[in-house]
């Protein structure tokens, strides 16, 4: 049981390949859980790249690059 508690709190980057199945089984895939994960990711991105004292173009350029890649993927079948 202590291993399960520790595995649930482990970040994805720290999970071993053999533990990936059990780690995924412990995730919350309900709509509320997914929305919570998206919200935490957005907050983390915002606080790291946008809400800083001395900002640069890093955060905005990543959003722009992501939009360009996504637009290309969406229109790839038309090319």
């Amino acid at each position: 049981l202590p291993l399960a508690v520790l595995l649930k709190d482990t970040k994805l980057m720290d999970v071993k390949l053999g533990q990936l199945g059990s780690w995924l089984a412990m995730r919350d895939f309900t709509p509320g859980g997914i929305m919570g994960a998206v919200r935490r990711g957005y907050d983390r991105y915002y606080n790291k790249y946008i809400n800083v004292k001395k900002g640069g173009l890093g955060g905005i350029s990543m959003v722009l690059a992501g939009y360009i890649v996504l637009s290309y993927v969406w229109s790839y079948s038309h090319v």
Side-chain angles (χ1 to χ4, degrees), residues 42-68:
Y42 171 78
D43 288 343
R44 187 179 214 173
Y45 172 83
Y46 182 80
N47 287 327
K48 186 171 183 179
Y49 293 107
I50 306 298
N51 189 22
V52 293
K53 290 181 181 178
K54 187 176 179 182
L57 294 176
I60 303 298
S61 62
M62 277 195 284
V63 171
L64 183 61
Y67 172 73
I68 290 170

Side-chain angles (χ1 to χ4, degrees), residues 3 7 14-24:
L3 178 63
L7 188 58
D14 298 331
V15 174
K16 304 282 190 262
L17 191 56
Q19 300 171 331
L20 188 60
S22 13
W23 183 85
L24 281 173

Side-chain angles (χ1 to χ4, degrees), residues 26-41:
M26 291 183 209
R27 300 294 103 195
D28 183 14
F29 289 109
T30 62
I34 292 171
M35 288 304 296
V38 168
R39 178 69 184 181
R40 284 190 305 275

